[in-house]
């Protein structure tokens, strides 16, 4: 690339300046020889330098959907009803985790205003509402892009000089980072000229270090590098960076369960849900349907436009046959997209396909398991919320609410897909009678799911008696009688409906109620720490119409010796106070 402002162009100005200022010694400590060349601060080369040193605003696009600025820490966002405080870049992963919990992508993210944003030139602006944020975002390049160049960076410290139009040095500064370099440019005017103390070192996106000896080489290096990598400036938070080799290794490591599929704008999930896909190193791929039938195809990968693509080809599975953009290799999930109307979501099935049944058997026998959710034929069975399973030797299983216990048998087998199955037979409790296919195996949580059938169990070892917080809350609740001080459903205050009720939290998970002083229904209560480390209060009043709406997995928000505040995922609020 030819020099934008050659030294010869300025030689006449230099001679004129020297003749008028023969006694001045402005260049005693300036670079010597060819390195002495200077460029205008408004030149194309200078603009490239500023773009390299601009602040990158793309890392928080999951929040602000704009790459030309970023939000200053700390701030708070509400994601699907959950408040998340963002103190650092690492906290943005919490937002991604919450958004990824739902496969239907009907997510709601709201910023709690006011916030302060930092622009590419490091200036700051206070934003008071969503409209002001949209107005700032509209000034970014369309599609979420920005002007900054991220594929190459200066290696600091470096020394930069400024000159006036007569090539008389006006300043020299040693800068330690991008912020200081941008501030140096901000102090210049249109007639200012700059140069560096060459040679300069720069680092490319892949870690390679290069050296440049003058402004021309510097401009060439930036031009060659600016489009050499994916700067991730779009609005898609899920296109995590990974290499072609990493994708291939990830695909062949374990089987994959199909969780969602859309083709040509139409959802086909019901047809393919829980199909198992096995990628082989030889480029073949085998899909097993729910009956165990095998459907063979091929797979290849390539890199295009800084993205890794996966091409699937089947003779039978035409809904899978396409070249897909690959997103999100974290937390055992892969998302594939092709245009607006095509999507596949797969989950890693390392522990639940072709695994040894003994693994699941031992996990189940180690501790008790609390029912977090049970659904059969699409209907959730609320009356079993909080019941406790104990899986014992000799294939015996018990199910208890603390007062009544049912017994049955259990066994771990594999189905035609090679998927682990938990068979439960319990004549006294048909709600759990089923061959439950394992969907998620974690240290403290198990999920069994197929179609309209779902069972989620929370691990409960030693009844959480080694958890001081759990024990303290239980002890508080077991003292005295309690009344409903507040109950809000969808913002509507319904406290009055429970004005005559009293609640006593007894031993063995039993909760007793009174209505106007008369003994009422009995129910179940549990305080546990769940698999996410959250303190939960389970309430279950069975089929009783008057109290059924209070049967829930409540999050414990605050507690004292006379008051406990509860809230659920639907923003219902329940407050008990001691009578």
């Amino acid at each position: 690339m030819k020099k934008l402002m050659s030294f010869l162009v300025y030689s006449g100005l230099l001679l004129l300046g020297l003749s008028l200022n023969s006694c001045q010694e402005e260049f005693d400590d300036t670079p010597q020889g060819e390195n002495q060349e200077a460029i205008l601060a408004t030149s194309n080369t200078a603009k490239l330098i500023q773009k390299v040193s601009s602040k990158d605003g793309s890392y928080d696009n999951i929040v602000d959907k704009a790459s030309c600025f970023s939000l200053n820490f700390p701030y708070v966002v509400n994601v699907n009803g959950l408040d998340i405080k963002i103190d650092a870049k690492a906290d943005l992963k919490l937002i991604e985790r919450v958004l990824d919990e739902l496969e239907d992508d009907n997510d709601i993210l709201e910023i709690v205003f006011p916030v302060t944003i930092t622009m590419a030139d490091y200036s700051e602006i206070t934003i008071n509402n969503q409209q002001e944020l949209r107005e700032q975002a509209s000034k970014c390049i369309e599609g979420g892009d920005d002007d900054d160049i991220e594929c190459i960076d200066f290696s600091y410290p470096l020394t930069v000089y400024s000159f006036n139009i007569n090539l008389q040095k006006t300043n020299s500064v040693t800068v330690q980072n991008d912020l200081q370099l941008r501030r140096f440019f901000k102090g210049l005017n249109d007639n200012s000229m700059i140069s560096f103390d060459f040679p300069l070192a720069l680092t490319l996106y892949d870690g390679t270090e290069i050296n440049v000896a003058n402004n021309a080489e510097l401009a060439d290096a930036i031009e060659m590098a600016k489009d050499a990598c994916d700067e991730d400036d779009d609005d898609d938070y899920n296109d995590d960076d990974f290499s072609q080799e990493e994708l291939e290794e990830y695909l062949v490591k374990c089987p994959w369960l199909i969780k969602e599929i859309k083709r040509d704008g139409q959802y086909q999930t019901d047809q393919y849900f829980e199909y198992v896909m096995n990628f082989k190193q030889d480029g073949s791929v085998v899909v097993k349907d729910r009956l165990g039938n095998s459907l063979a195809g091929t797979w290849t990968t390539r890199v295009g436009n800084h993205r890794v693509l996966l091409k699937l080809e089947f003779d039978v599975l035409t809904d899978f046959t396409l070249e897909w953009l690959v997103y999100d290799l974290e937390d055992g999930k892969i998302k594939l997209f092709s245009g607006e109307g095509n999507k596949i979501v797969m989950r890693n099935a390392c522990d639940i396909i072709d695994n040894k049944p003994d693994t699941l058997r031992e996990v189940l026998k180690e501790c008790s398991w609390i029912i977090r959710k049970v659904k059969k034929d699409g209907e959730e069975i609320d009356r079993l919320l909080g019941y406790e399973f104990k899986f014992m030797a000799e294939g015996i299983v018990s199910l208890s609410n603390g007062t009544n216990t049912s017994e049955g048998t259990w066994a771990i087998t594999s189905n035609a897909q090679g998927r682990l199955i938990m068979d439960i037979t319990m004549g006294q409790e048909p709600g759990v009678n089923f061959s439950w296919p394992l969907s998620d195996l974690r240290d403290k949580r198990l999920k069994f799911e197929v179609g309209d059938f779902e069972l989620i169990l929370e691990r409960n070892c030693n009844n959480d008696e080694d958890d001081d917080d759990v024990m303290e809350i239980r002890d508080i609740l077991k003292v005295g009688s309690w009344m409903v001080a507040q109950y809000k459903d969808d913002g509507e205050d319904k406290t009055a409906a429970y004005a005559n009720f009293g609640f006593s939290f007894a031993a063995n998970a039993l909760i007793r109620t009174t209505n106007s002083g008369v003994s009422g229904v009995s129910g179940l209560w549990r305080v546990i720490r769940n698999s996410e480390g959250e303190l939960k209060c389970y309430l279950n009043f069975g089929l009783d119409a008057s109290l059924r709406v209070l049967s829930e997995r409540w999050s414990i928000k605050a507690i004292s010796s006379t008051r406990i505040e509860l809230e659920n995922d639907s923003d219902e609020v329940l407050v008990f106070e001691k009578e």
Side-chain angles (χ1 to χ4, degrees):
M1 179 178 179
K2 68 181 181 179
K3 300 176 182 177
L4 300 173
M5 196 67 71
S6 77
F7 179 75
L8 293 176
V9 172
Y10 293 104
S11 60
L13 291 173
L14 175 60
L15 291 173
L16 176 60
L18 290 174
S19 66
L20 294 174
N21 301 280
S22 59
C23 295
Q24 294 182 7
E25 296 180 353
E26 297 291 345
F27 294 92
D28 288 346
D29 57 353
T30 59
Q32 300 299 310
E34 184 181 10
N35 293 345
Q36 187 179 340
E37 69 174 10
I39 57 174
L40 275 172
T42 56
S43 66
N44 286 336
T45 299
K47 290 177 182 177
L48 287 174
I49 294 168
Q50 292 183 72
K51 289 180 180 181
V52 172
S53 58
S54 295
K55 179 174 175 58
D56 174 31
S58 62
Y59 64 85
D60 63 354
N61 285 1
I62 188 174
V63 177
D64 59 25
K65 302 185 183 302
S67 295
C68 64
F69 59 79
S70 60
L71 274 66
N72 292 7
F73 304 120
Y75 57 90
V76 175
V77 294
N78 185 280
V79 186
N80 294 338
L82 178 68
D83 281 341
I84 301 176
K85 186 179 181 183
I86 307 300
D87 291 310
K89 285 185 180 181
D91 294 335
L92 296 170
K93 285 294 182 181
L94 298 175
I95 299 176
E96 183 173 343
R97 198 171 299 130
V98 173
L99 293 176
D100 283 343
E101 286 180 352
L102 298 178
E103 302 292 359
D104 58 10
D105 294 328
N106 294 323
D107 298 306
I108 299 175
L109 186 152
E110 296 177 339
I111 300 170
V112 179
F113 295 98
V115 295
T116 301
I117 63 173
T118 298
M119 308 302 293
D121 63 356
Y122 296 92
S123 60
E124 296 185 347
I125 302 173
T126 299
I127 303 295
N128 296 298
N129 51 56
Q130 188 65 41
Q131 181 59 34
E132 290 182 10
L133 188 69
R134 289 195 191 99
E135 290 174 1
Q136 287 295 332
S138 68
K139 299 175 185 177
C140 297
I141 297 175
E142 186 176 354
D145 206 351
D146 60 0
D147 281 326
D148 77 303
I149 297 174
E150 302 165 41
C151 299
I152 189 170
D153 292 297
F154 288 106
S155 298
Y156 294 98
L158 56 84
T159 301
V160 59
Y161 303 91
S162 63
F163 306 86
N164 61 22
I165 195 65
N166 296 319
L167 284 183
Q168 294 171 329
K169 184 171 71 72
T170 57
N171 196 14
S172 67
V173 177
T174 298
V175 295
Q176 303 291 336
N177 49 49
D178 288 341
L179 170 60
Q180 293 179 8
L181 184 55
R182 283 304 298 254
R183 284 180 174 171
F184 173 83
F185 272 95
K186 197 169 185 178
L188 304 176
N189 57 50
D190 291 348
N191 293 323
S192 296
M193 305 181 72
I194 66 163
S195 187
F196 292 94
D197 188 5
F198 290 102
L200 288 183
L202 297 99
T203 303
L204 296 174
Y205 64 95
D206 60 0
T208 303
E209 188 171 279
I210 60 174
N211 292 283
V212 295
N214 50 54
N215 286 312
E217 290 184 9
L218 175 59
D220 283 340
I222 297 173
E223 280 286 354
M224 292 180 64
K226 69 178 185 179
D227 296 321
C229 68
D230 179 11
E231 295 187 347
D232 204 19
D233 284 339
D234 55 57
D235 294 341
D236 193 334
Y237 67 89
N238 250 330
D239 58 346
D240 302 296
D241 295 326
F242 52 87
S243 67
Q244 182 180 8
E245 292 75 18
E246 288 172 325
L247 171 64
E248 292 175 351
E249 182 180 349
Y250 201 45
L251 287 172
V252 302
K253 186 177 181 180
C254 296
W256 294 87
L257 281 175
I258 303 299
K259 307 299 290 186
E260 183 180 347
I261 180 168
K262 181 169 68 172
R263 187 63 192 264
D264 298 328
Q266 300 296 316
Y267 278 98
Q268 306 291 340
T269 302
D270 290 344
Q271 181 179 352
Y272 299 111
F273 185 70
E274 300 289 335
Y275 276 34
V276 177
M277 185 174 288
N278 286 277
F279 293 87
K280 306 297 183 181
Q281 290 183 336
D282 62 3
S284 64
V285 57
V286 177
V287 175
K288 285 189 176 182
D289 63 19
R290 289 185 291 271
L291 298 177
N293 299 313
S294 295
L295 308 168
T298 61
W299 68 281
T300 56
T301 64
R302 70 179 181 91
V303 177
N305 200 23
H306 307 304
R307 297 289 178 84
V308 184
L309 297 100
L310 171 65
K311 186 175 184 179
L312 298 175
E313 293 185 282
F314 292 90
D315 291 333
V316 177
L317 296 173
T318 56
D319 289 329
F320 290 72
T321 300
L322 204 61
E323 186 168 53
W324 304 87
L325 282 172
V326 183
Y327 292 75
D328 194 5
L329 296 191
E330 293 189 354
D331 298 325
K333 179 190 292 184
I334 288 181
K335 284 187 178 182
L336 309 176
F337 290 90
S338 183
E340 293 293 327
N342 304 293
K343 177 171 70 169
I344 295 177
V345 178
M346 303 186 295
R347 282 197 177 274
N348 183 298
C350 287
D351 296 323
I352 65 177
I353 301 291
D354 297 329
N355 204 343
K356 295 180 180 179
D358 283 345
T359 301
L360 181 56
R361 289 192 190 104
E362 293 306 313
V363 168
L364 285 166
K365 288 191 294 183
E366 281 178 353
C367 297
S368 297
W369 295 85
I370 306 298
I371 292 181
R372 172 172 169 169
K373 181 180 181 180
V374 58
K375 184 172 69 172
K376 291 188 71 174
D377 291 323
E379 182 179 353
E380 193 162 343
I381 306 176
D382 296 330
R383 62 181 175 79
L384 295 179
L385 176 68
Y387 275 53
E388 179 187 57
F389 273 119
K390 287 185 178 180
F391 297 91
M392 295 168 281
E394 310 300 329
I396 303 300
V397 59
S398 67
L399 181 65
S400 173
N401 63 1
T403 304
N404 301 312
T405 301
S406 301
E407 282 196 355
T409 61
W410 70 286
I412 302 299
T413 60
S414 297
N415 67 6
Q417 293 175 299
R419 184 173 175 181
L420 290 178
I421 302 292
M422 179 176 68
D423 285 309
I424 294 180
T425 302
M426 191 173 291
Q428 293 174 282
E429 185 44 77
V432 297
N433 280 348
F434 195 65
S435 293
W436 298 98
L438 183 63
S439 292
D440 194 3
L441 175 61
R442 303 186 188 182
D443 287 342
K444 296 184 178 181
R445 195 188 81 176
L446 296 174
K447 183 176 181 179
F448 303 84
E449 182 182 23
V450 60
D452 291 331
F453 294 78
E454 183 179 7
L455 175 65
I456 302 177
L457 305 179
E458 292 275 1
R459 182 173 178 151
N460 188 243
C461 297
N462 301 319
N463 197 27
D464 281 340
E465 291 180 0
D466 56 349
D467 191 314
D468 292 339
D469 293 332
V470 169
M471 297 304 294
E472 181 181 0
I473 295 170
R474 289 175 183 170
D475 289 342
I476 289 173
L477 289 175
K478 285 190 288 187
V479 176
S481 181
W482 298 76
M483 59 175 288
V484 174
Q486 185 183 59
Y487 174 59
K488 284 187 176 181
D489 180 8
D490 197 22
E492 183 180 353
D493 194 324
K494 298 182 179 180
T495 309
Y498 304 96
N500 297 322
F501 283 87
F503 300 83
S504 297
F505 297 86
N508 298 323
L510 176 66
I511 184 170
R512 296 187 176 95
T513 69
T514 59
N515 190 347
S516 298
V518 179
S519 295
V521 300
S522 296
L524 174 152
W525 74 283
R526 294 188 191 278
V527 172
I528 66 170
R529 191 180 295 276
N530 71 3
S531 53
E532 286 82 34
E534 302 167 329
L535 291 168
K536 293 285 186 177
C537 180
Y538 283 56
L539 296 179
N540 184 352
F541 296 99
L543 301 177
D544 182 78
S546 58
L547 295 172
R548 189 175 182 180
V549 293
L550 302 185
S551 297
E552 259 289 1
R553 288 185 308 109
W554 298 95
S555 296
I556 300 174
K557 294 300 183 181
I559 188 165
S560 69
S561 60
T562 59
R563 179 181 172 92
I564 182 170
E565 299 176 14
L566 308 174
E567 187 175 317
N568 66 9
D569 294 338
S570 301
D571 293 329
E572 294 179 60
V573 175
L574 176 62
V575 179
F576 286 108
E577 288 185 352
K578 189 171 291 188
E579 290 184 311

